[in-house]
Amino acid sequence: MSDILSYPFMQRALVAAVLVGVVCSVVGTYVVLRKMAFIGAGISHSAFGGVALGYLLGLDPIGVAIPFCLATAMAIGWVSRRGRVSEDTAIGIAFASTMALGALFIGLKEGYNVDLFGYLFGSILAVSASDLWLILGLGLGVVLVVALLFKELLFVSFDEEMAAVSGLPVRALYFLLLALMALTVVVSIKIVGIILVEALLVIPAAAAHQLTRSFGRMMGLSVVIGVVSGVAGLLFSYWWDLPSGATVVLTAAVIFSVCFALSPKRRRRPALSRG
Amino acid sequence: MTAKTSVVKLEGVWVTYHETLALRDVDMEIEDGEFLGLIGPNGSGKTTLIRVILGLVKPDRGRVEVFGVPPDRLGARHHLIGYVPQRSQGDWSFPVSVMDVVLMGRYGRLGLFRRPGKADREAAMRALEDVQMQDFARRQLAELSGGQQQRVLIARALATEPKLLLLDEPAAGVDAYGEEKFYELLQGLKEQQGLTIVVVTHDIAVVSAYVENLACLNQTLYTHAPPSEVITAGTLEKVYGCEVELLAHGRIPHRVVEEHDGHGGHNVPGGHG
């Protein structure tokens, strides 16, 4: 164990993995409860377009992915709130077209020698020192925003209409949540990869949801599961030389299966006898 | 009529949803302290009317005033309106405690970023006491029965300390006995706190025994009068037209009298005849 920690790349990867575990789990709690998993998939896949654009322009791929993911998230939100196109249709369009843009940008870049696989599925070697600062800054920013607006985000997640009646800015809060999801995706790309981020937005929170009926405990448990998955996944990745995204997500999936099997909830829902 | 101030005022309100007419030229005034039952067949626009008053739906034409201003201009006075949505809308497996839910009623007053404090917890507790759910404060919402969840939602609405309480089919999913108890609760709240209450319901028989006025809606407002007038004047037939299902339920009362027989029994006029 100690020899692993002596590698600077591994130290950076571990710090990043802990942070990714925390941020994904915190934001994922809202994603799961608001049933926004597919939006998460749409936003995360759009990161491919951003990363590829960064390569094409010779800029930092993650730096370009930030505005790209934010713009996609806002576009999905805007189109689905307008109500003319259903939300899942809007996501379906954004999902594929941003990936197609990514493929186009990669194709336009002559003689590319990109570590595409690393971006798609994560890599423990990928976190540079400057990446780490970016991840730390964005990740802590996301957690801070959630802490500040904890009660508002809880209310709109539970009952958006009621929150609107109470005078809360529900529209702004919805777009804020989409922005938080976009930033969470960007934070996670290096470790988990574009294709697999969405799983980490869902699995830890869903596993925690199996074990508790308290919102606070769900978020807390989710963070524990997210961090354990991140760190354990990273170690598996190191030992077996596998893409870190795969090992992190599979670790989380195994934890979910255990939580699901052990769930004390029988989900006894009161009969809704309505005429 | 003229001496009392009106809490809600609608003038010539028209609403269309996706090219379907929901409300046609509705004029309505709800007076301060009025206890009103809003009735009408399925799809008659009852919920839309409530949503218009709440500011959730903007009318295509017409004017809406709540406490003298359009509902979306209430600003910091949003808490004057308490709203209990239809039960079928809620996510009842959401991981929150009863206290969490009732405290949400305070959020509008608190404003952004601020956390609920002691005074908010006390207000939430009082609201729970009003609906006799104080012993359940620490329970999780998902563990409660339908009727209990309904009372929690009312407590949430009361925790805002509203002047106007709007309830959309609050008794749906509650049995007849629970329903009567429920209206007694509303009546008590009205008397103690001077609330203006609007209840949307299907159940004309039960509601008639408690409310002061009935408003009959079927796209447009047919009448707004005391139950005795509405029921005898043949208005119901006009409003419901050939709404056979409801008539066949045998729930249209000939005459509704509040009945108490000492040991808490109940008697729904009409029954299942």
Side-chain angles (χ1 to χ4, degrees), chain A residues 147 151 161 213 215 270 272, chain B residues 51 87 95 111 114-115 140:
Chain A
K151 79 175 198 306
E161 186 173 282
R213 281 196 174 118
F215 182 81
L272 278 170
Chain B
R51 292 170 64 86
R87 253 185 58 74
R114 287 174 56 202
R115 295 289 175 92
Q140 295 297 312

Side-chain angles (χ1 to χ4, degrees), chain A residues 86-100:
Chain A
S86 80
E87 190 173 78
D88 63 336
T89 305
I91 298 162
I93 294 165
F95 194 127
S97 47
T98 49
M99 296 260 333

Side-chain angles (χ1 to χ4, degrees), chain A:
Chain A
M1 191 69 166
S2 58
D3 59 314
I4 297 176
L5 289 176
S6 65
Y7 297 117
F9 80 86
M10 204 56 193
Q11 294 166 355
R12 290 196 297 268
L14 273 171
V15 174
V18 169
L19 205 75
V20 166
V22 172
V23 177
C24 282
S25 308
V26 167
V27 174
T29 304
Y30 298 106
V31 173
V32 166
L33 291 176
R34 294 192 72 168
K35 304 178 174 64
M36 291 168 81
F38 192 45
I39 296 189
I43 295 173
S44 59
H45 284 77
S46 76
F48 183 64
V51 165
L53 183 63
Y55 260 106
L56 181 64
L57 300 176
L59 299 168
D60 175 35
I62 298 291
V64 177
I66 295 173
F68 202 91
C69 285
L70 280 172
T72 308
M74 296 304 112
I76 291 174
W78 186 74
V79 171
S80 63
R81 283 269 148 150
R82 289 289 294 253
R84 293 215 203 115
V85 178
S86 80
E87 190 173 78
D88 63 336
T89 305
I91 298 162
I93 294 165
F95 194 127
S97 47
T98 49
M99 296 260 333
L101 265 181
L104 183 81
F105 296 148
I106 297 280
L108 287 175
K109 175 86 178 172
E110 280 169 33
Y112 75 96
N113 53 355
V114 186
D115 176 20
L116 212 51
F117 200 72
Y119 273 106
L120 292 179
F121 299 103
S123 161
I124 47 173
L125 295 168
V127 184
S128 68
S130 63
D131 285 338
L132 191 60
W133 286 114
L134 185 77
I135 292 173
L136 268 173
L138 285 180
L140 294 178
V142 169
V143 172
L144 182 71
V145 170
V146 171
L148 280 175
L149 291 168
F150 190 81
K151 79 175 198 306
E152 286 80 8
L153 288 170
L154 173 66
F155 198 177
V156 291
S157 302
F158 175 60
D159 190 339
E160 187 168 281
E161 186 173 282
M162 198 55 224
V165 171
S166 303
L168 291 192
V170 292
R171 209 181 139 78
L173 287 166
Y174 174 74
F175 282 101
L176 177 76
L177 187 59
L178 289 177
L180 293 176
M181 288 169 72
L183 294 178
T184 302
V185 164
V186 172
V187 165
S188 315
I189 289 175
K190 289 276 172 148
I191 293 291
V192 201
I194 291 163
I195 304 284
L196 299 174
V197 187
E198 188 261 340
L200 219 56
L201 270 176
V202 175
I203 299 176
H209 196 22
Q210 294 298 313
L211 299 181
T212 178
R213 281 196 174 118
S214 148
F215 182 81
R217 251 175 285 159
M218 176 176 165
M219 193 177 271
L221 265 173
S222 172
V223 167
V224 171
I225 294 168
V227 170
V228 167
S229 307
V231 173
L234 216 57
L235 295 176
F236 295 141
S237 165
Y238 175 83
W239 287 327
W240 299 322
D241 193 21
L242 292 167
S244 51
T247 50
V248 170
V249 169
L250 286 173
T251 308
V254 169
I255 295 175
F256 172 81
S257 309
V258 173
C259 293
F260 184 74
L262 298 179
S263 172
K265 288 198 210 176
R266 285 293 162 260
R267 286 295 157 110
R268 180 178 52 86
R269 297 190 55 170
L272 278 170
S273 56
R274 278 180 41 81

Side-chain angles (χ1 to χ4, degrees), chain B residues 59-76:
Chain B
D60 303 326
R61 262 201 276 165
R63 276 159 54 89
V64 186
E65 277 185 7
V66 183
F67 298 106
V69 293
D72 55 346
R73 300 260 178 80
L74 276 168

